[in-house]
Amino acid sequence: MSNSSNSLVINSDVIDQMKADARRDQPEETCALLFGSAERIRQYYPMTNMNQGLEELLQIQGIDSTRFQTISSQ
């Protein structure tokens, strides 16, 4: 399939998954891998955002960081 307009097509199910994950993760960013060709994205694989610092991650999960540090040092 030739793509003379240089546009990228993303399957609607992939867009739906991206939107659902973005809503779930807000206000944080969502991370994922997109697979396909230069013309079309066909698959979406959600991933854990490893860019978040530990303190921020603990805060999001509602975990007291001083308690975590005590547990992790034992």
Side-chain angles (χ1 to χ4, degrees), residues 1-71:
M1 166 162 69
S2 176
N3 189 345
S4 61
S5 66
N6 292 325
S7 62
L8 176 66
V9 176
I10 303 176
N11 287 2
S12 61
D13 59 324
V14 171
I15 291 174
D16 291 343
Q17 290 174 321
M18 290 169 59
K19 287 179 181 179
D21 285 356
R23 284 186 198 103
R24 179 199 64 214
D25 295 343
Q26 68 181 332
E28 304 303 322
E29 66 187 3
T30 297
C31 294
L33 292 175
L34 302 174
F35 289 92
S37 65
E39 292 85 24
R40 179 178 293 271
I41 299 298
R42 300 178 191 278
Q43 296 177 321
Y44 172 88
Y45 293 96
M47 299 182 67
T48 301
N49 182 353
M50 299 308 289
N51 232 2
Q52 293 176 333
L54 178 59
E55 291 292 324
E56 183 179 354
L57 185 59
L58 293 173
Q59 182 180 17
I60 291 169
Q61 296 298 319
I63 299 171
D64 181 326
S65 64
T66 57
R67 183 173 176 202
F68 178 84
Q69 291 166 352
T70 302
I71 293 169

